[in-house]
Amino acid sequence: MILRQLLRPSSRQPCPFLLPLQGITASRRCACTESPALRPEIGQATVDVLGHSYPCDDFTNITPKILAKVGRNLHNQSHHPLWLIKERIKAHFYSAYIGRWGNPLFSVHDNLSPVVTVEQNFDSLLIPPDHPSRKRGDNYYLNRATMLRAHTSAHQRELVRSGLDAFLLAGDVYRRDEIDASHYPVFHQMEGVRLFSNHELFSKVQNGEDLQMFEASGRRTPQKQETHSLEAVKLVEFDLKHTLTRLIAHLFGEDVEVRWVDCYFPFTHPSFEMEVRFQGDWMEVLGCGVMEQQLLNSAGADNKLGWAFGLGLERLAMVLYNIPDIRIFWSQDERFLTQFQVDDIHKAVHFQALSKYPPLHNDISFWLPADERVFDANDFYELVRSIAGDLVEKVSLVDDFTHPKSGRRSLCFRIIYRHTERTLSQQEVGLVHQRIERSAESELGVEGRY
């Protein structure tokens, strides 16, 4: 559950058809957006993902380039940096938390399908119907009922319902987002959940047999939920913060400086973000909190109380290994991959950057449609991604102009092209840029100024 995810924007994009992809067939069917040019054609009615077929509808906005990432599972590729971070976290929990019979207390789940229902992704986590994180422009929908998960928390309820009291969950998640060195439409999360019975929570407390996790006539305060006793919440909060402080010390070193910031998430209360002091600055590394009791009740764990946390594997890997660009994680260049071929997952790795190839930048300016509400910047970012893919390092808005007489509004975006493994030519970039210009006019309804 990367708790922060619900609060940040995203970007993904439209596409007219799906080509056959490795492990994912599109059978020349559909991936569509609001644009009439991108809606399914006659007979192009379904999209196939991981061996399952899903009917397209007016919400379908999945693209071939995104589908090509499904099933790559970088977090499960041995000696990939994301795999190393996941394995280090897993090893820590395995060794530090042992159950009554000598087995690891936390089970690990890292191979669940990223295709989930909208109900799993939002409703099961108590995310309101009008919450901005549900927007079509921020997510990849297969149709109105099905999507690529936007967070691993989409599986939280089903795992609790299966009877698990302590588990780690890792996987790829998908969000339409801006384009820069730290944002990518596919990234990887890891989360943990720990539930307590009344006996487990109070067994080490003096006179704990007289304490209860729940109270009948309580009220919600900044410190607790209405159904929880304050004593129970404080014990769960202490266990959560102690657990995560140990984890971060394991990853960053025992002398790491940590601080906690109060925040809000729909599925935990109270909620916190952990920040660590790294290279002189405070950096947020994870979100966490006491799980909403309504979530546990719906999963059949109404006699338990628990905590949950979530973190981004790319963020940790970029910091710990000094990887400057999130696109590099998808590189198949041996010069990148061999740097992480270590015989001990805890061995320090000092990433040596590949040659820094020169950037090329082109600007694109256009007038917005008369009804500006039909234009969403995320749609433009996604269009750029669908055409240029990983050739694009960054897209930024450099000018926002309103004509003083006509009232028409014009935007100018700067697109920076840079390949992570070779030098690009201006001719190659020019052809790609022209395709983006033509597609922006035909698919987004804008009028070019080029």
Side-chain angles (χ1 to χ4, degrees):
M1 152 178 91
I2 187 88
L3 301 156
R4 187 137 185 103
Q5 72 209 6
L6 295 173
L7 307 178
R8 52 177 268 204
S10 310
S11 89
R12 307 204 174 156
Q13 101 189 44
C15 81
F17 58 90
L18 299 181
L19 299 175
L21 301 163
Q22 184 177 8
I24 306 158
T25 58
S27 311
R28 285 209 169 88
R29 291 168 182 167
C30 79
C32 34
T33 64
E34 300 129 347
S35 169
L38 298 175
R39 287 183 185 141
E41 298 177 13
I42 300 298
Q44 298 180 335
T46 63
V47 54
D48 296 346
V49 186
L50 299 176
H52 296 277
S53 183
Y54 302 90
C56 286
D57 60 23
D58 62 330
F59 242 58
T60 308
N61 65 352
I62 193 71
T63 69
K65 278 189 166 57
I66 295 303
L67 282 174
K69 308 291 187 185
V70 179
R72 288 282 301 276
N73 297 328
L74 300 184
H75 62 292
N76 287 337
Q77 289 185 20
S78 292
H79 302 289
H80 189 279
L82 299 181
W83 175 86
L84 278 178
I85 295 291
K86 183 199 73 171
E87 291 299 309
R88 289 184 65 190
I89 295 172
K90 188 169 78 172
H92 169 72
F93 274 90
Y94 274 5
S95 62
Y97 304 96
I98 305 298
R100 282 186 296 174
W101 311 112
N103 296 321
L105 180 65
F106 285 79
S107 59
V108 177
H109 310 267
D110 57 11
N111 202 28
L112 298 177
S113 171
V115 179
V116 298
T117 64
V118 171
E119 196 274 340
Q120 284 177 289
N121 199 78
F122 297 119
D123 299 287
S124 75
L125 295 167
L126 312 179
I127 298 170
D130 59 349
H131 197 282
S133 67
R134 290 177 177 255
K135 284 196 312 181
R136 182 174 178 274
D138 284 358
N139 300 283
Y140 286 113
Y141 285 94
L142 302 181
N143 52 46
R144 282 187 172 270
T146 316
M147 63 189 296
L148 295 180
R149 63 188 171 208
H151 41 229
T152 51
S153 304
H155 304 285
Q156 201 174 97
R157 186 179 64 183
E158 67 191 77
L159 292 177
V160 171
R161 182 174 284 162
S162 72
L164 297 176
D165 286 341
F167 58 84
L168 301 174
L169 172 61
D172 45 334
V173 298
Y174 299 78
R175 281 189 234 142
R176 301 178 96 204
D177 217 332
E178 57 197 276
I179 302 176
D180 59 31
S182 61
H183 291 84
Y184 201 77
V186 191
F187 55 104
H188 299 75
Q189 291 180 347
M190 193 163 187
E191 69 178 85
V193 168
R194 175 79 169 99
L195 306 185
F196 301 89
S197 67
N198 203 85
H199 172 72
E200 289 171 318
L201 193 58
F202 296 120
S203 61
K204 296 181 181 179
V205 178
Q206 187 175 7
N207 299 321
E209 63 275 5
D210 299 328
L211 299 175
Q212 296 295 323
M213 292 194 300
F214 304 107
E215 55 185 27
S217 55
R219 62 186 183 89
R220 180 171 289 241
T221 70
Q223 290 75 38
K224 71 177 203 67
Q225 299 171 38
E226 52 270 32
T227 60
H228 295 163
S229 70
L230 185 58
E231 297 86 356
V233 170
K234 288 304 178 184
L235 281 174
V236 170
E237 180 183 326
F238 175 82
D239 187 85
L240 168 63
K241 291 181 176 180
H242 179 67
T243 299
L244 294 177
T245 300
R246 291 182 68 187
L247 171 63
I248 293 304
H250 170 72
L251 296 174
F252 284 83
E254 293 296 332
D255 58 347
V256 67
E257 191 177 351
V258 169
R259 72 179 182 185
W260 298 94
V261 179
D262 294 341
C263 61
Y264 164 79
F265 303 119
F267 29 79
T268 55
H269 180 80
S271 303
F272 315 96
E273 288 175 347
M274 175 197 265
E275 297 182 348
V276 300
R277 196 162 185 80
F278 185 76
Q279 296 182 347
D281 294 319
W282 286 104
M283 178 184 68
E284 183 255 318
V285 292
L286 57 82
C288 62
V290 178
M291 296 174 70
E292 283 284 353
Q293 195 59 39
Q294 185 181 339
L295 191 159
L296 293 178
N297 294 347
S298 69
D302 52 341
N303 63 335
K304 305 246 176 104
L305 194 151
W307 54 247
F309 75 86
L311 51 81
L313 293 178
E314 274 88 348
R315 162 162 282 202
L316 286 179
M318 290 177 81
V319 170
L320 293 172
Y321 301 138
N322 197 29
I323 297 175
D325 191 324
I326 196 169
R327 294 176 299 163
I328 295 175
F329 289 107
W330 295 90
S331 174
Q332 296 183 352
D333 191 322
E334 286 300 314
R335 294 174 300 164
F336 168 67
L337 297 173
T338 54
Q339 294 187 45
F340 300 91
Q341 296 282 341
V342 293
D343 52 9
D344 179 0
I345 61 172
H346 301 295
K347 183 178 180 180
V349 176
H350 302 286
F351 172 66
Q352 299 297 315
L354 309 182
S355 299
K356 191 70 171 179
Y357 297 99
L360 297 171
H361 71 78
N362 288 25
D363 292 349
I364 177 171
S365 300
F366 45 72
W367 296 105
L368 296 184
D371 182 359
E372 294 181 11
R373 294 172 300 177
V374 303
F375 177 83
D376 187 325
N378 275 357
D379 289 338
F380 175 68
Y381 297 144
E382 192 61 21
L383 181 143
V384 172
R385 282 197 190 279
S386 72
I387 294 173
D390 287 351
L391 296 183
V392 175
E393 179 178 82
K394 184 176 182 179
V395 177
S396 55
L397 180 66
V398 295
D399 185 57
D400 187 339
F401 167 74
T402 300
H403 195 283
K405 293 184 178 180
S406 67
R408 295 188 70 186
R409 184 180 170 202
S410 167
L411 300 180
C412 177
F413 290 90
R414 176 156 296 164
I415 303 178
I416 297 178
Y417 299 87
R418 190 200 312 255
H419 203 289
T420 60
E421 299 171 6
R422 62 181 175 84
T423 299
L424 294 173
S425 69
Q426 185 60 59
Q427 181 181 14
E428 178 183 8
V429 166
L431 293 174
V432 173
H433 198 75
Q434 289 174 14
R435 288 182 58 200
I436 293 173
E437 291 174 336
R438 292 194 299 269
S439 296
E441 289 192 302
S442 63
E443 298 171 14
L444 302 179
V446 301
E447 181 184 338
R449 299 181 65 192
Y450 25 84

